[in-house]
Coordinates of all heavy atoms in Angstrom, one line a residue:
M189 N 115.5 118.4 112.0 CA 114.9 117.2 112.5 C 116.0 116.1 112.6 O 116.9 116.1 111.7 CB 113.8 116.7 111.5 CG 112.9 115.7 111.9 SD 113.5 114.0 111.7 CE 113.3 113.9 109.8
R190 N 116.0 115.5 113.7 CA 117.1 114.4 113.8 C 116.4 113.1 114.3 O 115.4 113.2 115.0 CB 118.1 115.0 114.8 CG 119.0 115.8 114.4 CD 120.1 116.2 115.4 NE 121.2 117.0 114.8 CZ 122.2 116.5 114.2 NH1 122.4 115.2 114.1 NH2 123.1 117.3 113.8
V191 N 116.9 112.0 114.0 CA 116.5 110.8 114.6 C 117.7 110.2 115.4 O 118.7 110.4 115.1 CB 116.0 109.8 113.5 CG1 114.8 110.3 112.9 CG2 117.2 109.4 112.6
Q192 N 117.3 109.7 116.5 CA 118.3 109.0 117.5 C 117.9 107.6 117.6 O 116.6 107.2 117.9 CB 118.2 109.8 118.9 CG 119.1 109.4 119.8 CD 119.1 110.1 121.0 OE1 118.1 111.0 121.3 NE2 119.8 109.9 122.1
I193 N 118.8 106.7 117.6 CA 118.6 105.3 117.7 C 119.5 104.7 118.8 O 120.6 105.0 119.1 CB 119.1 104.5 116.4 CG1 118.3 105.0 115.3 CG2 119.0 103.0 116.6 CD1 118.8 104.7 113.8
D194 N 118.7 104.2 119.8 CA 119.3 103.5 121.0 C 119.8 102.2 120.5 O 119.1 101.2 120.4 CB 118.2 103.4 122.1 CG 118.9 103.0 123.4 OD1 119.8 102.2 123.2 OD2 118.4 103.3 124.4
T195 N 121.1 102.2 120.3 CA 121.9 101.0 119.9 C 121.9 99.9 120.8 O 121.9 98.7 120.5 CB 123.4 101.2 119.4 OG1 124.0 101.9 120.6 CG2 123.4 102.2 118.3
G196 N 121.4 100.2 122.0 CA 121.4 99.1 123.1 C 120.0 98.3 123.0 O 119.8 97.3 123.4
L197 N 119.0 99.1 122.4 CA 117.6 98.5 122.2 C 117.5 97.9 120.8 O 116.7 96.9 120.6 CB 116.6 99.6 122.4 CG 116.4 100.2 123.8 CD1 115.4 101.2 123.8 CD2 116.0 98.9 124.8
C198 N 118.3 98.4 119.8 CA 118.0 97.8 118.5 C 118.6 96.4 118.4 O 119.7 96.3 118.7 CB 118.8 98.7 117.5 SG 118.8 98.1 115.7
T199 N 117.6 95.6 117.8 CA 118.1 94.2 117.7 C 118.1 93.7 116.1 O 118.1 92.6 115.8 CB 117.1 93.2 118.5 OG1 115.8 93.6 118.2 CG2 117.3 93.4 120.0
G200 N 117.8 94.7 115.3 CA 117.9 94.5 113.9 C 116.7 94.0 113.2 O 116.8 93.1 112.3
H201 N 115.5 94.5 113.8 CA 114.3 94.0 113.1 C 114.2 94.7 111.6 O 113.5 94.1 110.9 CB 113.0 94.7 113.8 CG 112.8 93.7 115.1 ND1 112.3 92.6 115.2 CD2 113.2 94.1 116.4 CE1 112.2 92.2 116.3 NE2 112.7 93.0 117.1
G202 N 114.8 95.7 111.3 CA 114.7 96.2 110.1 C 113.5 97.0 109.6 O 113.3 97.4 108.4
Q203 N 112.5 97.1 110.6 CA 111.3 97.8 110.2 C 111.4 99.2 110.0 O 110.7 99.7 109.2 CB 110.3 97.4 111.2 CG 109.8 96.0 111.3 CD 109.2 95.6 110.0 OE1 108.3 96.3 109.4 NE2 109.8 94.5 109.4
C204 N 112.3 99.8 110.7 CA 112.5 101.3 110.4 C 112.9 101.6 109.0 O 112.3 102.4 108.2 CB 113.6 101.8 111.4 SG 115.2 100.8 111.3
E205 N 113.9 100.8 108.4 CA 114.4 101.0 107.1 C 113.3 100.6 106.1 O 113.0 101.3 105.0 CB 115.6 100.3 106.8 CG 116.4 100.7 105.7 CD 116.1 99.8 104.4 OE1 115.4 98.7 104.6 OE2 116.6 100.3 103.3
A206 N 112.5 99.6 106.4 CA 111.4 99.2 105.4 C 110.3 100.1 105.3 O 109.8 100.2 104.3 CB 110.9 97.6 106.0
N207 N 110.0 100.8 106.4 CA 108.8 101.7 106.4 C 109.3 103.2 106.2 O 108.4 104.0 105.8 CB 108.2 101.6 107.8 CG 107.3 100.3 107.9 OD1 106.3 100.3 107.4 ND2 107.9 99.4 108.6
A208 N 110.6 103.4 106.4 CA 110.9 104.8 106.1 C 112.4 104.8 105.6 O 113.3 105.2 106.1 CB 111.0 105.6 107.5
P209 N 112.5 104.5 104.2 CA 113.8 104.2 103.7 C 114.6 105.5 103.3 O 115.7 105.4 103.1 CB 113.5 103.3 102.4 CG 112.0 103.7 102.1 CD 111.4 103.8 103.4
E210 N 113.8 106.6 103.3 CA 114.5 107.9 103.1 C 115.2 108.4 104.3 O 116.1 109.3 104.2 CB 113.5 108.9 102.5 CG 113.0 108.7 101.1 CD 112.2 109.7 100.7 OE1 112.7 110.8 100.2 OE2 110.9 109.6 100.9
V211 N 114.8 107.8 105.5 CA 115.4 108.3 106.7 C 116.4 107.2 107.4 O 117.4 107.7 107.9 CB 114.3 108.5 107.7 CG1 114.7 108.9 109.1 CG2 113.3 109.6 107.2
F212 N 116.1 106.1 107.3 CA 116.8 105.0 108.1 C 117.6 104.1 107.1 O 117.1 103.8 106.0 CB 115.9 104.1 108.9 CG 115.3 105.0 110.0 CD1 113.9 105.3 109.7 CD2 115.9 105.4 111.1 CE1 113.2 105.9 110.7 CE2 115.2 106.1 112.0 CZ 113.8 106.5 111.8
A213 N 118.8 103.8 107.6 CA 119.7 102.8 106.8 C 120.1 101.7 107.8 O 120.1 101.9 109.0 CB 120.8 103.6 106.3
L214 N 120.5 100.6 107.3 CA 121.0 99.5 108.1 C 122.5 99.3 107.8 O 122.9 99.4 106.5 CB 120.1 98.2 107.8 CG 118.7 98.3 108.0 CD1 118.0 97.0 107.6 CD2 118.2 98.7 109.4
D215 N 123.2 98.8 108.8 CA 124.5 98.5 108.6 C 124.7 97.0 108.0 O 123.7 96.4 107.8 CB 125.4 98.7 109.8 CG 125.0 97.7 111.0 OD1 124.4 96.6 110.7 OD2 125.4 97.9 112.2
D216 N 125.9 96.6 107.8 CA 126.3 95.2 107.3 C 125.4 94.2 108.1 O 125.1 93.0 107.5 CB 127.6 94.8 107.3 CG 128.4 95.8 106.4 OD1 127.8 96.5 105.5 OD2 129.6 96.0 106.5
R217 N 125.3 94.3 109.4 CA 124.6 93.3 110.2 C 123.2 93.4 110.4 O 122.5 92.6 111.1 CB 125.3 93.3 111.6 CG 126.8 92.9 111.4 CD 127.5 93.0 112.9 NE 127.2 94.2 113.5 CZ 127.1 94.4 114.8 NH1 127.3 93.5 115.7 NH2 126.9 95.7 115.2
G218 N 122.6 94.5 109.7 CA 121.2 94.6 109.7 C 120.7 95.5 110.9 O 119.5 95.5 111.2
F219 N 121.6 96.2 111.6 CA 121.2 97.1 112.6 C 121.1 98.5 112.0 O 121.8 98.9 111.2 CB 122.3 97.0 113.8 CG 122.3 95.9 114.5 CD1 123.1 94.7 114.0 CD2 121.5 95.7 115.7 CE1 123.0 93.6 114.8 CE2 121.5 94.4 116.4 CZ 122.3 93.4 115.9
A220 N 120.2 99.3 112.6 CA 120.0 100.7 112.2 C 121.2 101.6 112.5 O 121.8 101.4 113.4 CB 118.7 101.2 112.9
V221 N 121.4 102.4 111.5 CA 122.5 103.3 111.6 C 121.9 104.7 111.8 O 121.0 105.1 111.2 CB 123.3 103.4 110.2 CG1 124.4 104.4 110.4 CG2 123.9 102.0 110.0
T222 N 122.5 105.5 112.8 CA 121.9 106.7 113.0 C 122.5 107.7 112.0 O 123.7 107.8 111.9 CB 122.4 107.3 114.4 OG1 121.9 106.3 115.5 CG2 121.7 108.6 114.8
P223 N 121.6 108.5 111.4 CA 122.1 109.4 110.3 C 122.8 110.6 111.1 O 122.2 111.0 112.1 CB 120.8 109.9 109.6 CG 119.7 109.0 110.0 CD 120.2 108.4 111.3
D224 N 124.0 111.0 110.7 CA 124.7 112.1 111.3 C 124.0 113.5 111.2 O 124.0 114.2 112.2 CB 126.1 112.1 111.1 CG 126.8 110.9 111.5 OD1 126.5 110.4 112.5 OD2 127.9 110.5 110.9
A225 N 123.7 113.6 109.9 CA 123.3 115.0 109.6 C 121.8 115.3 110.0 O 121.0 114.4 110.3 CB 123.4 115.1 108.0
E226 N 121.6 116.6 110.0 CA 120.3 117.1 110.3 C 119.5 116.7 109.0 O 119.9 116.9 107.9 CB 120.3 118.5 110.5 CG 119.0 119.4 110.6 CD 118.6 119.4 112.0 OE1 119.5 119.0 113.0 OE2 117.4 119.6 112.3
L227 N 118.3 116.2 109.2 CA 117.4 115.8 108.2 C 116.3 116.8 107.8 O 115.9 117.6 108.7 CB 116.7 114.5 108.5 CG 117.7 113.4 108.7 CD1 116.9 112.1 109.2 CD2 118.3 112.9 107.4
P228 N 116.0 116.9 106.5 CA 114.9 118.0 106.2 C 113.6 117.8 107.0 O 113.3 116.6 107.2 CB 114.6 117.7 104.7 CG 115.8 116.8 104.2 CD 116.3 116.1 105.3
A229 N 112.9 118.8 107.5 CA 111.8 118.8 108.2 C 110.8 117.9 107.5 O 109.9 117.4 108.2 CB 111.3 120.1 108.6
G230 N 110.8 118.0 106.2 CA 109.7 117.3 105.4 C 109.7 115.8 105.6 O 108.7 115.1 105.2
L231 N 110.7 115.3 106.1 CA 111.0 113.9 106.4 C 110.4 113.4 107.8 O 110.4 112.2 108.2 CB 112.3 113.4 106.2 CG 112.9 113.3 104.8 CD1 114.3 112.9 104.9 CD2 112.0 112.3 103.9
A232 N 109.9 114.4 108.6 CA 109.5 114.1 109.9 C 108.4 113.0 109.9 O 108.5 112.1 110.9 CB 109.1 115.4 110.7
E233 N 107.4 113.2 109.1 CA 106.2 112.3 109.2 C 106.8 110.8 108.9 O 106.3 109.7 109.5 CB 105.2 112.7 108.2 CG 103.8 111.9 108.3 CD 102.8 112.4 107.4 OE1 102.8 113.6 107.1 OE2 101.9 111.7 107.2
E234 N 107.6 110.7 107.8 CA 108.2 109.4 107.5 C 109.0 108.8 108.6 O 109.0 107.7 109.0 CB 109.0 109.5 106.3 CG 109.5 108.1 105.8 CD 110.2 108.1 104.5 OE1 110.0 109.0 103.6 OE2 111.0 107.1 104.2
A235 N 109.8 109.7 109.3 CA 110.6 109.3 110.4 C 109.8 108.8 111.6 O 110.2 107.8 112.1 CB 111.5 110.5 110.8
R236 N 108.6 109.5 111.8 CA 107.8 109.0 112.9 C 107.2 107.7 112.5 O 107.1 106.8 113.4 CB 106.7 110.1 113.1 CG 107.2 111.2 113.8 CD 106.0 112.0 114.4 NE 106.3 113.3 115.0 CZ 106.1 114.4 114.3 NH1 105.7 114.4 113.1 NH2 106.6 115.6 114.8
F237 N 106.8 107.5 111.2 CA 106.3 106.2 110.7 C 107.3 105.0 110.9 O 106.9 104.0 111.5 CB 105.9 106.4 109.3 CG 105.1 105.4 108.6 CD1 103.9 105.1 109.2 CD2 105.5 104.5 107.7 CE1 103.1 104.0 108.7 CE2 104.8 103.4 107.1 CZ 103.5 103.2 107.8
G238 N 108.5 105.4 110.6 CA 109.6 104.3 110.8 C 109.9 104.1 112.3 O 110.0 102.8 112.7
A239 N 109.8 105.0 113.1 CA 110.0 104.8 114.5 C 108.9 104.0 115.1 O 109.2 103.2 116.0 CB 110.0 106.3 115.2
Q240 N 107.7 104.3 114.8 CA 106.6 103.6 115.3 C 106.5 102.1 114.8 O 106.0 101.2 115.5 CB 105.2 104.2 115.0 CG 105.0 105.4 115.7 CD 103.9 106.3 114.9 OE1 103.1 105.9 114.1 NE2 103.5 107.4 115.6
A241 N 107.3 101.8 113.8 CA 107.4 100.4 113.3 C 108.3 99.6 114.0 O 108.3 98.4 113.8 CB 107.7 100.4 111.8
C242 N 109.2 100.1 114.8 CA 110.3 99.5 115.5 C 109.7 98.8 116.7 O 109.2 99.4 117.6 CB 111.3 100.5 115.9 SG 112.5 99.6 117.0
P243 N 109.7 97.4 116.7 CA 109.1 96.7 117.8 C 109.8 96.9 119.1 O 109.2 96.7 120.2 CB 109.3 95.2 117.4 CG 109.6 95.3 116.0 CD 110.2 96.5 115.7
E244 N 111.1 97.4 119.1 CA 111.8 97.6 120.3 C 111.8 98.9 120.8 O 112.3 99.4 121.8 CB 113.4 97.3 120.0 CG 113.5 95.9 119.5 CD 113.2 94.7 120.4 OE1 113.2 95.0 121.6 OE2 113.0 93.7 119.9
R245 N 111.1 99.9 120.0 CA 110.9 101.3 120.5 C 112.3 102.0 120.6 O 112.5 102.6 121.5 CB 110.2 101.4 121.7 CG 108.6 101.1 121.6 CD 108.0 102.1 120.8 NE 106.6 101.9 120.5 CZ 106.1 101.5 119.3 NH1 107.0 101.3 118.3 NH2 105.0 101.1 119.1
A246 N 113.1 101.5 119.7 CA 114.7 102.1 119.9 C 114.8 103.4 119.3 O 115.9 104.0 119.4 CB 115.5 101.1 119.2
I247 N 113.9 104.0 118.5 CA 114.0 105.3 117.8 C 113.2 106.4 118.5 O 112.1 106.3 118.8 CB 113.5 105.1 116.5 CG1 114.3 103.9 115.7 CG2 113.8 106.3 115.5 CD1 113.7 103.5 114.4
T248 N 114.0 107.5 118.6 CA 113.3 108.7 119.0 C 113.5 109.8 117.9 O 114.5 109.9 117.3 CB 114.1 109.3 120.3 OG1 114.1 108.2 121.3 CG2 113.3 110.5 120.8
V249 N 112.5 110.6 117.6 CA 112.4 111.4 116.6 C 112.4 112.9 117.2 O 111.6 113.1 118.1 CB 111.2 111.4 115.6 CG1 111.3 112.5 114.6 CG2 111.3 110.0 114.9
H250 N 113.3 113.6 116.9 CA 113.5 115.1 117.5 C 113.2 116.2 116.3 O 113.9 116.1 115.4 CB 114.8 115.3 118.0 CG 115.4 114.3 119.0 ND1 114.9 114.5 120.3 CD2 116.2 113.3 119.0 CE1 115.6 113.5 121.1 NE2 116.2 112.8 120.2
V251 N 112.1 116.9 116.6 CA 111.7 117.8 115.5 C 111.8 119.2 116.2 O 111.3 119.4 117.3 CB 110.3 117.6 115.0 CG1 109.9 118.6 113.8 CG2 110.3 116.1 114.4
D252 N 112.4 120.1 115.5 CA 112.5 121.5 116.1 C 111.2 122.1 115.7 O 110.8 122.3 114.5 CB 113.6 122.3 115.3 CG 115.0 121.8 115.8 OD1 115.1 121.2 117.0 OD2 116.0 122.1 115.0
E253 N 110.5 122.6 116.7 CA 109.3 123.3 116.5 C 109.5 124.7 116.5 O 109.3 125.4 117.5 CB 108.2 122.9 117.6 CG 108.0 121.4 117.8 CD 107.2 120.8 116.7 OE1 106.7 121.6 115.8 OE2 107.0 119.5 116.7
R254 N 109.9 125.2 115.3 CA 110.2 126.7 115.2 C 109.2 127.4 114.3 O 108.9 126.7 113.3 CB 111.7 126.9 114.9 CG 112.6 127.0 116.1 CD 113.9 127.3 115.6 NE 114.6 126.0 115.4 CZ 115.9 125.9 114.9 NH1 116.4 126.9 114.4 NH2 116.5 124.8 114.6
Ligands
LIG210 FE1 116.6 98.3 115.0 FE2 114.2 98.8 115.5 FE3 115.2 99.4 113.1 S1 115.1 97.1 116.2 S2 116.8 97.9 112.8 S3 115.7 100.3 115.1 S4 113.1 98.4 113.4

């Protein structure tokens, strides 16, 4: 499972990190940082929750359906 953040859309609302702190982190300026690593599939629901909380719709969640 991976999350992708469109840095061109992110304006630093911080709702992703507030709603899904195990998945998202913010940089020094309050913008979302894309996790490099593959995340455990068990975090997919939280990732979707955080993505839906983003007012800019800057987050895409990719889940391997295997
Ligand atoms: Fe950015 Fe959206 Fe999070 S604007 S900081 S990706 S809530």
Side-chain angles (χ1 to χ4, degrees):
M189 195 271 290
R190 282 183 175 271
V191 295
Q192 185 178 6
I193 296 159
D194 186 330
T195 52
L197 291 178
C198 174
T199 54
H201 287 283
Q203 290 303 308
C204 51
E205 196 265 349
N207 286 280
E210 289 183 86
V211 176
F212 299 101
L214 305 180
D215 68 13
D216 295 348
R217 299 177 306 152
F219 291 88
V221 180
T222 305
D224 290 333
E226 182 82 13
L227 297 168
L231 287 177
E233 192 173 336
E234 182 172 337
R236 287 197 188 98
F237 191 62
Q240 286 168 5
C242 175
E244 306 297 338
R245 293 284 174 261
I247 301 168
T248 309
V249 178
H250 302 278
V251 180
D252 289 338
E253 306 288 355
R254 271 183 270 167

